[in-house]
Amino acid sequence: DAGITQSPRHKVTETGTPVTLRCHQTENHRYMYWYRQDPGHGLRLIHYSYGVKDTDKGEVSDGYSVSRSKTEDFLLTLESATSSQTSVYFCAISGGSSYEQYFGPGTRLTVT
Amino acid sequence: DQQVKQNSPSLSVQEGRISILNCDYTNSMFDYFLWYKKYPAEGPTFLISISSIKDKNEDGRFTVFLNKSAKHLSLHIVPSQPGDSAVYFCAASDTGQGAQKLVFGQGTRLTINP
């Protein structure tokens, strides 16, 4: 299994509070991604990174920001959480000659 | 606009029989396709993939078929086993974009009955 961890695994927060989710990899892969999974939508890309300090928006980036200061860490920040951001968040990595992405265990976020 | 669609939310198959999961896409730039399997409270795990230069790829009990003219792919599982009960997602990528961004379908919940 690819070495990907996510923290926290579960979080409950109130509307309007900032939240940061962390993804950590031990594979030294170049690409890292953040997805959210919601019923009826599958997984949707929020942001991705193609190197340290190199990030770009995905399909559903509004209300989210990311940072990558080290190869191994990719942070997802909700500046002011809203109830519509209640979801399960997955981090993924890919690299080398492979197009496959490998996913972390997920973070369940509830915004009340 | 859903670029990748899995029109069957659920599928029930008897153990030992063939399971066929379907996926349609609309973007003709997609040239790499993947299937993922997901158990509850876990991340998706990669199952099998296929490049657009092929029409079939096989790995043990799993075979993926690609029909480019119909923009359709399918995953065949033979024989189906109880451990195959999970949600299956198809995903597609335009590899010419650099970063391997994936577009996922909504998922199909497969239940294997003993």
Side-chain angles (χ1 to χ4, degrees), chain A residues 31 97-100, chain B residues 29-34 50-52 92-102:
Chain A
Y31 297 102
S97 59
S98 168
Y99 293 118
E100 291 82 29
Chain B
M29 297 300 294
F30 289 148
D31 59 354
Y32 199 81
F33 305 89
L34 308 90
I50 187 167
S51 165
S52 62
S93 175
D94 172 3
T95 60
Q97 287 200 343
Q100 298 110 331
K101 296 185 288 184
L102 297 180

Side-chain angles (χ1 to χ4, degrees), chain A residues 9 31 33 35 37 40-45 48 50 57 59 90 94-96 98-106, chain B residues 1-2 32 34 36 38 41-46 49 87 89 93 95 97-107:
Chain A
R9 294 294 313 278
Y31 297 102
Y33 311 80
Y35 292 87
Q37 185 196 2
H41 290 279
L43 286 86
R44 291 179 293 175
L45 182 65
Y48 64 97
Y50 45 96
K57 296 179 179 180
E59 178 188 358
F90 290 101
S94 67
S98 168
Y99 293 118
E100 291 82 29
Q101 293 184 18
Y102 297 91
F103 284 80
Chain B
D1 180 29
Q2 192 90 24
Y32 199 81
L34 308 90
Y36 283 84
K38 187 182 180 306
E42 294 184 9
T45 56
F46 170 71
S49 62
V87 177
F89 292 98
S93 175
T95 60
Q97 287 200 343
Q100 298 110 331
K101 296 185 288 184
L102 297 180
V103 179
F104 283 83
Q106 309 96 309

Side-chain angles (χ1 to χ4, degrees), chain A residues 27-91:
Chain A
E27 305 297 318
N28 201 35
H29 279 345
R30 176 183 178 187
Y31 297 102
M32 299 186 75
Y33 311 80
W34 277 107
Y35 292 87
R36 60 178 289 174
Q37 185 196 2
D38 304 290
H41 290 279
L43 286 86
R44 291 179 293 175
L45 182 65
I46 304 171
H47 281 280
Y48 64 97
S49 170
Y50 45 96
V52 173
K53 291 185 170 42
D54 292 323
T55 65
D56 205 348
K57 296 179 179 180
E59 178 188 358
V60 289
S61 59
D62 287 349
Y64 302 94
S65 62
V66 290
S67 65
R68 191 171 179 197
S69 58
K70 299 186 289 185
T71 298
E72 57 266 35
D73 290 325
F74 193 32
L75 303 181
L76 176 71
T77 297
L78 292 66
E79 300 291 346
S80 177
T82 67
S83 58
S84 65
Q85 293 175 313
T86 292
S87 187
V88 181
Y89 291 86
F90 290 101
C91 174

Side-chain angles (χ1 to χ4, degrees), chain B residues 4 10-11 13 25 30 35-36 55 72 76 81:
Chain B
V4 178
S10 62
L11 177 66
V13 175
Y25 62 96
F30 289 148
W35 285 94
Y36 283 84
D55 55 17
H72 177 83
H76 292 208
Q81 299 174 354

Side-chain angles (χ1 to χ4, degrees), chain B residues 49-96:
Chain B
S49 62
I50 187 167
S51 165
S52 62
I53 63 173
K54 296 183 176 181
D55 55 17
K56 176 183 174 181
N57 189 27
E58 189 172 356
D59 183 2
R61 296 187 297 115
F62 303 92
T63 303
V64 56
F65 295 92
L66 176 62
N67 182 334
K68 290 186 290 294
S69 61
K71 293 190 176 67
H72 177 83
L73 65 154
S74 61
L75 174 68
H76 292 208
I77 306 173
V78 177
S80 299
Q81 299 174 354
D84 296 331
S85 294
V87 177
Y88 290 78
F89 292 98
C90 67
S93 175
D94 172 3
T95 60

